[in-house]
Amino acid sequence: MGYTFKKAWLWWHGQGGGWSGHQLWYGLLLTWVLITTHVIIFTQEHVQHSALNQACYDYNHTRHTNILRNTCCRLHNYSKKDILTCIQTAAEKLTRPKRFVGEDTGKMHSNNKHSDTDIKDHFHSPNEYLLHFHHHPSGDSSLVTQPRPSFNISSELFSSPGRARGWLWAIVGDSRMRQVFSALVTRLTSPGLKYRKPSTEGRWRSAHELADNLRIGKLHEDIEVYHMDVPLRIIFHWDPLLTLLPKLIHQWTNNEKQRPTLLLLGTGLHWMRSTLHTYRAAGPHAAMDKFKQHMDALLPQLVSFAESTYTIMQLQDYIQELHIFKKYKGVYSNSNIDLYNNFVSSYLMDSSVTLWDSNIPFSKAYHANCVKSYRKSFDMLWDCDNPLHTGFVMVEKYADMFLNDICNSFINLDTTYC
């Protein structure tokens, strides 16, 4: 027994030849830590935004080229009732005892030491650390900022007594972002949904009037909608190059009452068109330099903003190259889109901004379907004549992805859903 113990002691301390016992132990421990950490990080990212992650989608080319299945979780098909339930359920959580994260210490404190305007109300959600409601004092008439003096958005109806808290979703960008905005508005359209934009000269009108123009027309202006029955407002800011965004973020940051609870962004094609001459003279990489410079300058401000406001950036859809006008051949191409998308993906890596890239395989499938079987419908579900945009048969799926990411924890769904 004594001899065996002595051999074990020598082996543990490295005096028996080969690897010592403690070296082997620490090696195994380090391997376990690395594997566990990788699994935790991958699982968190996988679970939190699997509705927006293209790696979670697959489809069978030989069967249904317009149907892509989420292989990570189940997508819920959101109806108007589901959206209203989501908003109302989230709002009701505000009536429960609240706690908030202290700004200096990061520790949890009771809210009885602070005023409502100092408190950010957090609740269980896939995006719990980012999504929150804001308390808006009754009577405030400037809850949303607007960079154009001719369009003064205010929210006296939204912030009237009994409607003091709510969700404000800001959608900023190009016509693809307007499409997502349109899909959300269409699902919510009812006598209780109102809108206004510069051409209404500040007058609130029924959203029924807006729906067709949003889908069929080309509205290059800011639009605000609000719901009379649930605490939800959605603002679309027409900013195809995201050059107004820095000013918007600055104003939102300096005025907490104006700050949205969610920010959705998208850009791409307008940058390509604006650099057409550089593309012809010096190639795609040189043409992309202005875009990269703008985004590099924007990144610190955007990342800082995303630390407290859930921020999503959708990548550029694929396009139908066969129908591009001769003038824009090359600059409007999927290879050029890949350059922009790869830059944005790298640019947002490890940041607090959520990358939305699950639209890409859907747009690819849509255009493949158009090539195989031309379709065009008045409701724009299919619009195969349009080489730059997917039809609403896919945009509606984008709206479902967005709603699954935001709302699933507020409606009665089991754990198999995204």
Side-chain angles (χ1 to χ4, degrees):
M1 176 67 75
Y3 176 75
T4 302
F5 177 79
K6 184 177 180 180
K7 283 189 66 176
W9 186 90
L10 290 172
W11 170 74
W12 179 259
H13 290 281
Q15 298 180 25
W19 284 74
S20 69
H22 68 270
Q23 285 176 323
L24 183 61
W25 167 253
Y26 287 127
L28 290 172
L29 179 61
L30 179 61
T31 301
W32 178 83
V33 169
L34 290 173
I35 293 174
T36 304
T37 303
H38 174 76
V39 169
I40 290 174
I41 292 174
F42 175 78
T43 303
Q44 286 179 338
E45 201 169 302
H46 175 78
V47 171
Q48 285 184 349
H49 304 292
S50 50
L52 306 181
N53 185 354
Q54 71 168 315
C56 286
Y57 292 87
D58 191 17
Y59 66 98
N60 187 334
H61 285 278
T62 61
R63 297 184 61 194
H64 305 291
T65 57
N66 65 321
I67 298 176
L68 288 87
R69 183 175 61 91
N70 191 307
T71 58
C72 299
C73 54
R74 297 170 65 192
L75 283 177
H76 181 64
N77 184 18
Y78 268 82
S79 66
K80 181 192 305 181
K81 181 180 178 181
D82 293 327
I83 302 172
L84 298 181
T85 299
C86 162
I87 302 303
Q88 197 60 52
T89 302
E92 288 171 0
K93 291 180 180 290
L94 293 175
T95 63
R96 301 175 185 174
K98 300 181 286 292
R99 300 196 302 175
F100 80 105
V101 179
E103 292 182 1
D104 296 327
T105 63
K107 297 178 180 179
M108 301 301 292
H109 300 281
S110 169
N111 70 349
N112 58 11
K113 296 180 182 179
H114 299 267
S115 68
D116 278 345
T117 54
D118 292 324
I119 297 171
K120 293 180 175 58
D121 304 291
H122 293 263
F123 39 83
H124 181 66
S125 162
N127 308 302
E128 182 172 1
Y129 68 106
L130 293 174
L131 284 175
H132 60 273
F133 281 86
H134 292 280
H135 179 270
H136 301 305
S138 173
D140 191 290
S141 61
S142 58
L143 296 184
V144 179
T145 189
Q146 171 52 44
R148 299 174 180 81
S150 60
F151 184 26
N152 180 24
I153 297 179
S154 62
S155 302
E156 26 325 86
L157 295 176
F158 180 77
S159 59
S160 60
R163 295 181 57 80
R165 294 180 175 93
W167 255 345
L168 168 59
W169 297 346
I171 301 177
V172 182
D174 55 19
S175 52
R176 296 183 308 105
M177 294 300 97
R178 188 184 62 224
Q179 282 187 313
V180 175
F181 174 79
S182 174
L184 295 172
V185 170
T186 300
R187 294 199 195 192
L188 287 166
T189 298
S190 70
L193 192 68
K194 306 296 180 184
Y195 87 97
R196 64 178 172 182
K197 54 191 180 75
S199 56
T200 69
E201 298 178 345
R203 292 189 296 270
W204 291 101
R205 307 181 72 155
S206 171
H208 285 93
E209 302 174 12
L210 180 66
D212 285 347
N213 283 335
L214 266 178
R215 182 165 287 205
I216 299 171
K218 295 181 179 179
L219 299 178
H220 296 167
E221 56 186 338
D222 294 2
I223 308 167
E224 175 187 13
V225 299
Y226 86 98
H227 207 292
M228 296 175 65
D229 302 320
V230 294
L232 173 67
R233 292 168 52 240
I234 311 176
I235 307 293
F236 171 69
H237 287 285
W238 173 251
D239 185 15
L241 298 175
L242 298 184
T243 50
L244 292 176
L245 182 60
K247 182 178 179 180
L248 282 171
I249 292 177
H250 178 74
Q251 292 174 331
W252 290 333
T253 302
N254 290 339
N255 191 335
E256 191 72 11
K257 296 173 187 176
Q258 298 179 349
R259 192 184 188 100
T261 47
L262 180 145
L263 175 61
L264 172 62
L265 309 168
T267 187
L269 289 179
H270 284 261
W271 275 102
M272 296 176 194
R273 185 172 66 181
S274 71
T275 58
L276 177 61
H277 296 299
T278 306
Y279 181 93
R280 296 283 184 233
H285 292 280
M288 198 172 67
D289 280 346
K290 287 186 178 180
F291 173 73
K292 292 172 67 174
Q293 290 169 12
H294 174 69
M295 297 304 288
D296 283 338
L298 175 62
L299 181 60
Q301 187 184 24
L302 187 62
V303 167
S304 177
F305 185 76
E307 293 292 343
S308 57
T309 295
Y310 184 39
T311 302
I312 305 170
M313 187 161 188
Q314 188 190 68
L315 293 189
Q316 170 65 51
D317 280 350
Y318 275 3
I319 59 174
Q320 199 174 177
E321 294 178 307
L322 291 176
H323 296 298
I324 297 296
F325 289 133
K326 183 177 180 180
K327 177 181 178 180
Y328 296 107
K329 289 284 187 181
V331 69
Y332 282 166
S333 65
N334 290 326
S335 61
N336 203 26
I337 285 172
D338 281 337
L339 285 179
Y340 279 74
N341 284 346
N342 290 339
F343 167 74
V344 173
S345 298
S346 174
Y347 160 86
L348 296 179
M349 187 178 296
D350 300 323
S351 79
S352 49
V353 180
T354 296
L355 182 71
W356 181 359
D357 60 0
S358 56
N359 58 302
I360 294 175
F362 278 79
S363 62
K364 183 178 180 180
Y366 171 82
H367 292 304
N369 206 315
C370 279
V371 171
K372 181 179 179 181
S373 178
Y374 170 88
R375 290 186 241 184
K376 186 173 179 63
S377 56
F378 181 76
D379 60 6
M380 297 297 175
L381 280 177
W382 290 92
D383 187 20
C384 291
D385 278 346
N386 190 331
L388 301 180
H389 299 85
T390 58
F392 274 81
V393 67
M394 289 305 182
V395 178
E396 293 293 346
K397 295 183 186 299
Y398 298 169
D400 270 332
M401 295 172 191
F402 173 84
L403 291 166
N404 273 262
D405 189 60
I406 301 303
C407 275
N408 278 10
S409 60
F410 298 114
I411 65 175
N412 189 24
L413 297 174
D414 64 51
T415 55
T416 63
Y417 283 88
C418 297

